């Protein structure tokens, strides 16, 4: 079955760095765009980054642009998020999510249909 | 693209029918998905393309709307439906979620 497993979370000091990983199984990883989405404690969901199936197209939310880098290794069925210059407000559970598409007569509708269980990142001194 | 949801929270009984509204700051056609989120669990896709029911999701969940106003309706509420519900727009590649609607028993 489709499975996404995040790892790499932990406690880091403000200004520090952390690298998250997401390992996929049960589907053809290289066929899918993947995103990172986070949820801060007591807050809502926030999409933060997306990478195309071949890794050539990448987008970031304003809140993380220039600090975070998304990448993938299709040979290893893995997605990564390099997080630099971390701030207290980056404290959250980070999820990777698979993007799938519904083709309705040439109109393409995208949605996140499979998610990992999340990994907690805590930024605190 | 900004999304708002109303109400921000609501209380209901098992067996009730409830409706959650999501409004977009611009026309997003039907590029709107709905998710259910429970504490400590990954979000679960309910509805995509505004009204298409995701595989395995009970038929008591339904979605409607287009343009700037969308609704998620849950009929005959079950105990497992008490959760927080989020809309998500996929019209822009800079995806955005609504702030969520908490549904309490």
């Amino acid at each position: 079955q489709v499975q996404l497993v995040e790892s790499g979370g932990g406690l880091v000091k403000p200004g520090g760095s952390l690298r998250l990983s997401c390992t996929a199984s049960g589907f053809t990883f290289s066929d899918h765009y993947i995103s990172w989405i986070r949820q801060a404690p007591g807050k809502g969901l926030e999409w933060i980054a997306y990478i195309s199936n071949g890794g050539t197209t990448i987008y970031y939310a304003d809140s993380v642009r220039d600090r975070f880098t998304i990448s993938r290794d299709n040979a290893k069925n893995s997605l990564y998020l390099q997080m630099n210059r971390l701030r207290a407000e980056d404290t959250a559970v980070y999820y990777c999510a698979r993007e799938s598409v519904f083709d309705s007569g040439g109109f393409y509708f995208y949605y996140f249909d499979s998610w990992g269980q999340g990994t907690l990142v805590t930024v605190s001194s | 693209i900004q999304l708002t949801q109303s109400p921000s929270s609501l209380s209901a009984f098992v067996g009730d029918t409830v409706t959650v509204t999501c409004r977009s700051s611009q026309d997003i056609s039907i590029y709107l998905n709905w998710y259910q989120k429970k504490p400590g669990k990954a979000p679960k896709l309910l509805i995509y393309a505004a009204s298409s029911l995701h595989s395995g999701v009970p038929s008591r969940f339904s979605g409607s709307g287009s343009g700037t106003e969308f609704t998620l309706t849950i009929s005959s509420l079950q105990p497992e439906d008490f959760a927080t519900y989020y809309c998500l727009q996929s019209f822009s590649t800079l995806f955005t979620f609504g702030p969520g609607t908490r549904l309490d028993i």
Side-chain angles (χ1 to χ4, degrees):
Chain A
Q1 74 279 21
V2 174
Q3 195 169 15
L4 297 163
V5 179
E6 302 93 340
S7 60
L11 175 63
V12 61
K13 289 182 167 54
S17 298
L18 208 57
R19 189 195 198 206
L20 305 184
S21 299
C22 168
T23 303
S25 59
F27 66 100
T28 304
F29 183 70
S30 58
D31 282 351
H32 289 265
Y33 291 21
I34 309 285
S35 281
W36 286 101
I37 294 162
R38 68 184 181 184
Q39 185 175 35
K43 302 294 186 181
L45 296 168
E46 180 188 16
W47 170 85
I48 58 171
Y50 142 122
I51 186 167
S52 62
N53 57 331
T56 55
T57 301
I58 288 172
Y59 292 100
Y60 298 100
D62 289 345
S63 58
V64 305
R65 187 176 296 118
D66 300 328
R67 298 188 300 123
F68 290 10
T69 303
I70 188 172
S71 62
R72 65 191 295 163
D73 184 338
N74 287 342
K76 295 182 177 179
N77 287 347
S78 293
L79 173 77
Y80 306 102
L81 186 68
Q82 177 66 43
M83 304 185 295
N84 297 331
R85 304 200 315 270
L86 282 160
R87 307 165 178 166
E89 54 265 37
D90 295 318
T91 295
V93 175
Y94 286 73
Y95 298 96
C96 57
R98 184 184 80 166
E99 188 176 323
S100 290
V101 61
F102 167 58
D103 180 356
S104 178
F107 292 90
Y108 300 100
F109 299 95
Y110 299 93
Y111 49 90
F112 303 118
D113 63 344
S114 296
W115 300 61
Q117 84 290 348
T119 187
L120 176 63
V121 172
T122 303
V123 184
S124 174
S125 54
Chain B
I1 298 174
Q2 307 298 319
L3 298 179
T4 58
Q5 287 183 234
S6 60
S8 56
S9 66
L10 75 156
S11 297
F13 295 93
V14 171
D16 283 354
T17 294
V18 298
T19 297
V20 179
T21 298
C22 176
R23 291 184 175 87
S24 173
S25 59
Q26 68 182 70
D27 187 338
I28 57 171
S29 182
I30 59 170
Y31 290 84
L32 195 284
N33 307 324
W34 288 98
Y35 293 85
Q36 178 192 68
K37 179 70 170 69
K38 295 181 179 179
K41 301 287 189 182
K44 176 184 172 185
L45 175 67
L46 301 173
I47 302 284
Y48 61 92
S51 62
S52 295
L53 191 68
H54 183 54
S55 174
V57 175
S59 58
R60 62 181 181 274
F61 291 91
S62 64
S64 65
S66 66
T68 61
E69 186 159 327
F70 303 85
T71 58
L72 171 70
T73 300
I74 314 171
S75 24
S76 188
L77 273 171
Q78 298 301 299
E80 60 268 28
D81 298 337
F82 293 93
T84 301
Y85 292 85
Y86 293 91
C87 53
L88 166 76
Q89 67 78 21
S90 59
F91 181 85
S92 164
T93 46
L94 301 182
F95 300 100
T96 46
F97 286 92
T101 294
R102 178 173 167 170
L103 175 56
D104 291 324
I105 191 165

